[in-house]
Amino acid sequence: MAAQIINGKALSAEHLAGTQEAIIKFKARGIVPGLAVIIVGENPASMKYVANKEKICQSIGIYSRIIRMPAHTPQAEIETTIRQLNEESAIHGILVQLPLPPHLSTLRLLSLINPAKDVDGFHYQNSGKLFYGLPSLLPGTPKGVHEMIKSTGVTIAGKDAVVVGRSNIVGKPMAIILMNEDATVSVCHKLTADLKAYTSRADILVVAAGKPKLITADMVKPGAVVIDVGITYVDGKVVGDVDFQAVSEVAGFITPVPGGVGRMTVAMLMANTVEAAASIEAERLSSLG
Ligand code: NAP
């Protein structure tokens, strides 16, 4: 059986079109959603991601400002920049591109972002809301994966879901999203004794480990939804965590790499920026009485 491909390119284009429509309505009211991205240092992958975000912002009408800071920038200087952006009315979303150079406190910088402008959804106030099942700005990657799973038409409630990886930005929020959708969720990591025992019973398998070909065909339940979040550069090519060719023969649905989750992550960031703009502008209007 050949799995159906979950086409990240097509699905992200649909989401971006919806976001663009919302932007057009905003602009008719004289509001331009604005996103500020802070990038510290010259990590090549980060520079590429930031350039892509800027390009997509421009293509759908979001005002984007890239703030480039040298790798040795002191923590205090970045904190000042974040505080200024928190106050700036033209900016509705603030994102600090990760990873940061080691002398900086990522947690402190992320927690300084106004939670209403936290379009990456990494502020503990937004993670806390997710934990409680309250509406919040969700991290783009797990939010995008959730949309991809929904696009298959497969019911999440009551299913066995396995998330490989437990990072704060992908694995943990992904597990909570699936739990909030009434899946029975297992989270695996490096010390999981028998990874295959978990993955092979998953109806929904999300893999975010950063280990090429970690998931082979014998580790996948026939008909499962397999979402490959992994991005690793091997000989200049982007590869995921799943042995795509072999697993396609077993799974019911599968995401490719490239052309899968990465595209959705950016589309969700754009959606979050517009969502943030909507609540900030609504708040502003209500404060005017
Ligand atoms: P991370 O912080 O390095 O976390 C990786 C997680 O995978 C950790 O929890 C780790 O376990 C677990 N892991 C590593 N090797 C494993 C193994 N052999 N068996 C089981 N678990 C294993 O990475 P991340 O930021 O979550 O990102 C994960 C991958 O997704 C990376 O390839 C990254 O580039 C990619 N990514 C893609 C997108 C996108 O838009 N497509 C967005 C974000 C990240 P421990 O906790 O025990 O160390």
Side-chain angles (χ1 to χ4, degrees), residues 212-254:
K213 296 203 176 171
L214 176 66
I215 304 298
T216 48
D218 58 317
M219 298 170 80
V220 173
K221 181 175 176 176
V225 177
V226 178
I227 311 283
D228 189 352
V229 181
I231 292 181
T232 307
Y233 287 87
V234 178
D235 299 331
K237 276 192 179 163
V238 182
V239 297
D241 290 345
V242 174
D243 182 349
F244 181 82
Q245 291 304 337
V247 172
S248 298
E249 296 300 317
V250 182
F253 297 88
I254 191 167

Side-chain angles (χ1 to χ4, degrees), residues 40 43 46 97-101 106:
V40 187
N43 176 316
S46 294
Q97 185 66 41
L98 302 180
L100 288 167
T106 300

Side-chain angles (χ1 to χ4, degrees), residues 13-286:
E14 271 175 39
H15 280 272
L16 285 174
T19 303
Q20 191 170 19
E21 268 178 41
I23 294 168
I24 290 167
K25 286 186 188 142
F26 266 118
K27 287 190 171 168
R29 292 167 47 205
I31 300 161
V32 181
L35 172 67
V37 177
I38 299 174
I39 174 166
V40 187
E42 296 189 347
N43 176 316
S46 294
M47 286 166 71
K48 208 169 130 188
Y49 292 145
V50 167
N52 186 41
K53 286 167 189 170
E54 185 177 32
K55 195 179 93 190
I56 308 265
C57 277
Q58 284 166 356
S59 74
I60 61 168
I62 290 178
Y63 163 65
S64 90
R65 187 187 303 162
I66 311 297
I67 299 159
R68 294 183 175 84
M69 303 177 109
H72 54 77
T73 307
Q75 172 95 13
E77 197 177 320
I78 307 171
E79 290 184 8
T80 303
T81 302
I82 292 175
R83 287 197 181 90
Q84 285 165 351
L85 293 168
N86 281 343
E87 297 304 319
E88 211 183 303
S89 60
I91 298 297
H92 302 93
I94 304 168
L95 179 161
V96 177
Q97 185 66 41
L98 302 180
L100 288 167
H103 69 283
L104 297 169
S105 164
T106 300
L107 191 59
R108 182 164 164 76
L109 290 176
L110 295 180
S111 60
L112 270 181
I113 296 173
N114 174 354
K117 296 189 177 185
D118 171 38
V119 285
D120 254 347
F122 296 159
H123 191 287
Y124 54 78
Q125 197 164 306
N126 283 317
S127 324
K129 283 184 177 172
L130 170 62
F131 185 100
Y132 279 98
L134 297 169
S136 63
L137 289 165
L138 293 172
T141 303
K143 180 174 176 162
V145 170
H146 186 203
E147 291 300 329
M148 293 179 112
I149 298 168
K150 286 196 288 185
S151 78
T152 64
V154 168
T155 309
I156 300 175
K159 295 286 165 53
D160 280 325
V162 171
V163 180
V164 181
R166 56 174 168 181
S167 71
N168 292 331
I169 63 173
V170 189
K172 277 187 208 164
M174 188 73 246
I176 299 176
I177 289 170
L178 291 166
M179 218 187 300
N180 289 349
E181 289 276 12
D182 295 325
T184 302
V185 183
S186 304
V187 180
C188 301
H189 47 79
K190 267 186 199 148
L191 297 184
T192 298
D194 185 354
L195 185 61
K196 184 179 168 182
Y198 288 89
T199 59
S200 58
R201 59 170 295 174
D203 302 301
I204 297 167
L205 176 60
V206 181
V207 193
K211 299 283 172 235
K213 296 203 176 171
L214 176 66
I215 304 298
T216 48
D218 58 317
M219 298 170 80
V220 173
K221 181 175 176 176
V225 177
V226 178
I227 311 283
D228 189 352
V229 181
I231 292 181
T232 307
Y233 287 87
V234 178
D235 299 331
K237 276 192 179 163
V238 182
V239 297
D241 290 345
V242 174
D243 182 349
F244 181 82
Q245 291 304 337
V247 172
S248 298
E249 296 300 317
V250 182
F253 297 88
I254 191 167
T255 60
V257 178
V261 176
R263 297 246 181 187
M264 285 299 284
T265 298
V266 185
M268 295 301 110
L269 170 67
M270 301 300 143
N272 279 355
T273 303
V274 170
E275 197 179 313
S279 31
I280 290 166
E281 294 301 332
E283 183 77 17
R284 191 173 292 162
L285 270 183
S286 77

